[in-house]
Amino acid sequence: MISIKNLSKVFKTKDQTVNAVDDVSIDIPKGEIFGVIGYSGAGKSTFIRLINRLEDPSEGEIILDDQDIAALRKEPLRKKRQKIGMIFQHFNLLWSRTVFENIAFPLEIAGVPKRDRDEKVQELIDLVGLKGRENSYPSQLSGGQKQRVGIARALANDPTVLLCDEATSALDPETTDDILDLLVSINEKLNLTIILITHEMHVIQKVCHRVAVMEQGQVVEQGEVLNVFVKPQSKTTKRFVQQLSPLEHQIDRLDEFITDDQQSEVVKLHFIGNNAKRALISEVSKQLDVAINILQGSISPTQEGAYGTLYVEIKGEPTVIQEAIQYIEASGVEVEVLKHV
């Protein structure tokens, strides 16, 4: 368990005081992939640098394995840092060293004997899928391969926590998915707690169990990814969710698809888990005297199950339309009426 309590970081200059991280409290269970998302300047990168003390906190506690990292000094802090791995957006590899030597570097610093070091490095190379590239230099690798080296290096000292600071931002979409799949695999194989900083909701959706949304140094919302997707509370969270549902604020563009020959309701349906696999629209049409026009929809997988959104027009007599909506709600699907036609 990582327990972060009332964590703050204040930067002071002659002209201003900046609360980069402002009274943040988060609990992260062991073995969880926890996402922190926010726009540029939200404080998320400062937050992750506080966790391994690349920045010193102004206030608060960072409890890891029953130790307050914020209170550690010099030698105890150095030893604790060895159990906190970190990967970066721009890889931070040693360009004059091979893949093998880059991964071995933290083991050298830790004083691990060469035989044990070589065995560990080869194990990590196999784990991250770099077999055959041991003697390559970073300049000979693709972006995804460089990040795999960075991940292997971060795992060299068997950390209990892996921090990822925008680890996929410099990668193309296909390579991003490959790296995210690798992180999920590592999380499952090693029961490793991962804290992932990003500004991309797709990354949160694909790999995280829970998420915190940051704005101006504060956590404005946190919870299970599935719940945050279905019922975003803050304006910032809603903007991020819109990245995955671009139609959210474009409902007026559906007018050309909506019929006007009889009364209808345009509704948005939220499907969660097994309900996303159910032929509910077909059921409603058979059970009740309504016609249903599907306008737009999507189903997205998350670590906690499938999440689907469907926009439909329900046509028929007003009382029967209400019966159809009640039938859908009784099936465990959330209904939001968007427009009366």
Side-chain angles (χ1 to χ4, degrees):
M1 165 75 81
I2 301 172
S3 184
I4 296 162
K5 300 177 181 179
N6 308 114
L7 187 64
S8 295
K9 177 63 180 179
V10 179
F11 292 101
K12 293 183 178 181
T13 66
K14 291 182 179 180
D15 301 322
Q16 63 179 339
T17 297
V18 177
N19 296 311
V21 175
D22 188 5
D23 196 26
V24 169
S25 295
I26 296 172
D27 289 328
I28 304 172
K30 180 175 174 56
E32 183 171 84
I33 303 180
F34 189 92
V36 179
I37 191 168
Y39 291 104
S40 179
K44 56 189 186 297
S45 290
T46 301
F47 169 73
I48 203 169
R49 288 169 63 86
L50 289 170
I51 294 177
N52 66 354
R53 292 282 305 277
L54 289 177
E55 295 283 356
D56 290 330
S58 301
E59 292 183 19
E61 299 178 346
I62 307 162
I63 309 298
L64 174 61
D65 299 329
D66 299 322
Q67 277 188 304
D68 182 5
I69 297 172
L72 295 180
R73 294 291 180 268
K74 294 185 178 179
E75 188 62 20
L77 177 59
R78 186 187 70 81
K79 290 183 178 179
K80 196 66 178 177
R81 273 181 174 157
Q82 291 179 352
K83 295 301 179 181
I84 305 175
M86 189 163 184
I87 57 176
F88 305 87
Q89 178 180 357
H90 296 296
F91 320 124
N92 288 10
L93 302 181
L94 299 170
W95 294 87
S96 61
R97 287 180 170 240
T98 65
V99 167
F100 193 99
E101 291 166 343
N102 264 281
I103 299 170
F105 186 62
L107 296 170
E108 292 176 27
I109 294 175
V112 176
K114 186 177 185 309
R115 182 174 178 178
D116 294 339
R117 188 167 71 225
D118 291 351
E119 183 178 334
K120 181 65 175 181
V121 171
Q122 194 57 57
E123 175 187 320
L124 290 168
I125 284 173
D126 293 342
L127 177 66
V128 301
L130 285 174
K131 191 172 184 178
R133 304 310 301 263
E134 293 92 335
N135 297 318
S136 299
Y137 287 88
S139 61
Q140 299 171 309
L141 303 177
S142 67
Q145 289 171 331
K146 291 172 188 173
Q147 196 56 283
R148 288 172 185 269
V149 177
I151 293 170
R153 182 185 58 188
L155 297 176
N157 282 314
D158 297 318
T160 57
V161 180
L162 179 63
L163 308 179
C164 307
D165 189 7
E166 298 280 9
T168 60
S169 294
L171 306 175
D172 62 72
E174 184 175 352
T175 306
T176 291
D177 283 345
D178 289 342
I179 293 299
L180 294 177
D181 288 340
L182 175 60
L183 290 175
V184 171
S185 175
I186 289 169
N187 166 255
E188 293 172 349
K189 289 177 181 177
L190 305 180
N191 193 31
L192 181 67
T193 305
I194 298 176
I195 302 176
L196 194 152
I197 301 296
T198 185
H199 63 273
E200 299 172 294
M201 201 62 178
H202 163 73
V203 172
I204 300 294
Q205 170 201 341
K206 186 174 176 66
V207 303
C208 295
H209 301 103
R210 291 191 305 130
V211 61
V213 183
M214 290 192 70
E215 180 182 4
Q216 296 182 341
Q218 297 181 324
V219 171
V220 295
E221 188 167 350
Q222 63 176 301
E224 293 181 359
V225 170
L226 203 52
N227 290 338
V228 170
F229 272 24
V230 174
K231 296 181 180 179
Q233 300 299 311
S234 73
K235 289 183 179 179
T236 301
T237 309
K238 289 175 181 177
R239 287 174 63 192
F240 278 118
V241 172
Q242 288 159 27
Q243 293 178 6
L244 302 174
S245 299
L247 198 60
E248 189 79 28
H249 283 270
Q250 300 176 20
I251 192 63
D252 289 339
R253 297 187 182 183
L254 296 176
D255 284 349
E256 60 185 287
F257 302 107
I258 297 172
T259 58
D260 58 6
D261 57 339
Q262 58 181 309
Q263 184 166 335
S264 66
E265 301 270 16
V266 177
V267 300
K268 177 182 175 182
L269 309 180
H270 292 292
F271 297 84
I272 303 174
N274 290 331
N275 281 326
K277 304 176 183 178
R278 184 175 174 182
L280 183 60
I281 299 304
S282 177
E283 289 180 30
V284 175
S285 297
K286 291 177 181 178
Q287 293 285 338
L288 300 166
D289 186 20
V290 292
I292 298 181
N293 179 23
I294 297 176
L295 304 174
Q296 192 260 6
S298 64
I299 295 178
S300 302
T302 73
Q303 285 294 307
E304 301 302 315
Y307 160 74
T309 302
L310 189 64
Y311 295 82
V312 300
E313 178 192 13
I314 306 176
K315 298 180 289 183
E317 294 297 323
T319 55
V320 183
I321 291 175
Q322 290 308 308
E323 286 182 41
I325 290 175
Q326 291 169 7
Y327 182 97
I328 294 170
E329 289 177 330
S331 302
V333 173
E334 183 178 335
V335 181
E336 179 183 352
V337 177
L338 299 176
K339 194 166 187 177
H340 301 279
V341 181

